[in-house]
């Protein structure tokens, strides 16, 4: 059974860079037909797609965050990572990683990691 | 960016009754829509993709319908474990167009 686990600092200072890693277990990150995505959820609010990566390194980002986001993959460790630069309090959220299945024209996120709360505060 | 609007924001329904949740897209997304359920303190769980295809292990009481700009998630007979927040997600023409989610509908016990 595929599982994803986010890890990284729970507190980041304003203007610094948020860095998170998602470790995939129970399956290979190099599987075809799958992308790997990051989604975030501010406290009490809805979901926002941040970006996705294929095992080859191809990336797609939300235009609203593109200037600050970098997603990378390490197939040798079965991990993918998120970096978000110049953070502000508005970036405080639970950050989820998820497997993104691509089948024909369809794209859905399943399964998801448990999520990790990142707070931006000095 | 395609904006997804869910209604109502909160829906109060009694156990055993039917719940109907709506999701509207700002422009056509064909059938490129998924639904998720999220319980407090948990990650979202996939329910439906392709607007009407249930994900593996999802009970038959969950059904999705619609295409274009209007979509519906119906829960035919509410069980206690169904009270949660539900999100729709469109993925039309991804990539390169961005994936977007609705703001959610909270389904609460009446």
């Amino acid at each position: 059974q595929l599982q994803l686990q986010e890890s990284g600092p729970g507190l980041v200072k304003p203007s610094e860079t948020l860095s998170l890693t998602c470790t995939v277990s129970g399956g290979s990150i190099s599987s075809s037909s799958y992308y790997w995505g990051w989604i975030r959820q501010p406290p009490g609010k809805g979901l926002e797609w941040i970006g996705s990566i294929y095992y080859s390194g191809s990336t797609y980002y939300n235009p609203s965050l593109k200037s600050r986001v970098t997603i990378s993959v390490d197939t040798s460790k079965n991990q993918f990572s998120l970096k978000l630069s110049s953070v502000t309090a508005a970036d405080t959220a639970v950050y989820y990683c998820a497997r993104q299945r691509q089948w024909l024209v369809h794209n859905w996120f399943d399964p998801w990691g448990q999520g990790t709360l990142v707070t931006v505060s000095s | 960016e395609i904006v997804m609007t869910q209604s109502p924001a909160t829906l109060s329904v009694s156990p055993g009754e039917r719940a109907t949740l709506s999701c509207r897209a700002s422009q056509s997304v064909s059938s490129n829509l998924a639904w998720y359920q999220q319980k407090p303190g948990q990650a979202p769980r996939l329910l439906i993709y392709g607007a009407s295809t249930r994900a593996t292990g999802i009970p038959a009481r969950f059904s999705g319908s619609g295409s274009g700009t209007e979509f519906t998630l119906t829960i035919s007979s509410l069980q206690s474990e169904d009270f949660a927040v539900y999100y729709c997600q469109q993925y039309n023409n991804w990539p390169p167009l961005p994936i977007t989610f609705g703001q959610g509908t909270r389904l609460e016990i009446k």
Side-chain angles (χ1 to χ4, degrees):
Chain A
Q1 178 181 351
L2 191 83
Q3 293 185 316
L4 299 93
Q5 178 67 58
E6 305 88 352
S7 60
L11 181 64
V12 181
K13 290 182 169 55
S15 80
E16 295 190 344
T17 296
L18 178 160
S19 296
L20 295 174
T21 295
C22 182
T23 300
V24 178
S25 59
S28 173
I29 203 169
S30 300
S31 298
S32 61
S33 300
Y34 295 111
Y35 280 77
W36 304 88
W38 287 99
I39 303 102
R40 70 180 182 179
Q41 184 173 37
K45 296 187 177 181
L47 300 164
E48 180 181 33
W49 172 69
I50 299 171
S52 302
I53 190 165
Y54 196 58
Y55 75 91
S56 63
S58 297
T59 53
Y60 298 94
Y61 300 134
N62 190 324
S64 68
L65 298 168
K66 187 174 183 177
S67 63
R68 300 194 291 131
V69 172
T70 302
I71 297 176
S72 58
V73 64
D74 186 335
T75 55
S76 67
K77 295 182 179 179
N78 231 30
Q79 295 176 334
F80 61 108
S81 299
L82 168 70
K83 290 189 185 298
L84 181 65
S85 64
S86 305
V87 298
T88 69
D91 295 309
T92 294
V94 175
Y95 285 76
Y96 294 101
C97 59
R99 184 179 68 177
Q100 182 181 344
R101 176 77 164 98
Q102 186 174 44
W103 176 68
L104 301 179
V105 297
H106 301 295
N107 282 272
W108 62 86
F109 295 103
D110 180 56
W112 297 54
Q114 65 183 27
T116 187
L117 174 63
V118 179
T119 301
V120 178
S121 176
S122 56
Chain B
E1 170 180 307
I2 298 175
V3 176
M4 307 302 291
T5 303
Q6 292 186 240
S7 61
T10 302
L11 181 62
S12 299
V13 183
S14 300
E17 293 189 340
R18 175 189 298 258
T20 302
L21 290 68
S22 296
C23 176
R24 174 178 294 177
S26 60
Q27 62 189 78
S28 177
V29 298
S30 187
S31 295
N32 299 322
L33 185 110
W35 288 95
Y36 299 85
Q37 176 194 67
Q38 186 178 35
K39 297 180 180 179
Q42 296 185 16
R45 176 176 72 141
L46 175 72
L47 298 175
I48 301 279
Y49 63 90
S52 61
T53 303
R54 276 190 304 277
T56 303
I58 301 303
R61 65 180 182 272
F62 290 91
S63 63
S65 62
S67 66
T69 62
E70 300 285 342
F71 300 88
T72 300
L73 174 69
T74 301
I75 312 170
S76 60
S77 178
L78 280 165
Q79 307 297 304
S80 57
E81 61 266 30
D82 299 336
F83 293 95
V85 179
Y86 292 83
Y87 293 95
C88 59
Q89 171 226 326
Q90 70 79 25
Y91 46 83
N92 195 52
N93 289 328
W94 183 92
L97 297 185
I99 289 167
T100 53
F101 291 86
Q103 81 281 14
T105 289
R106 180 179 304 277
L107 181 58
E108 64 176 27
I109 300 175
K110 187 174 182 179

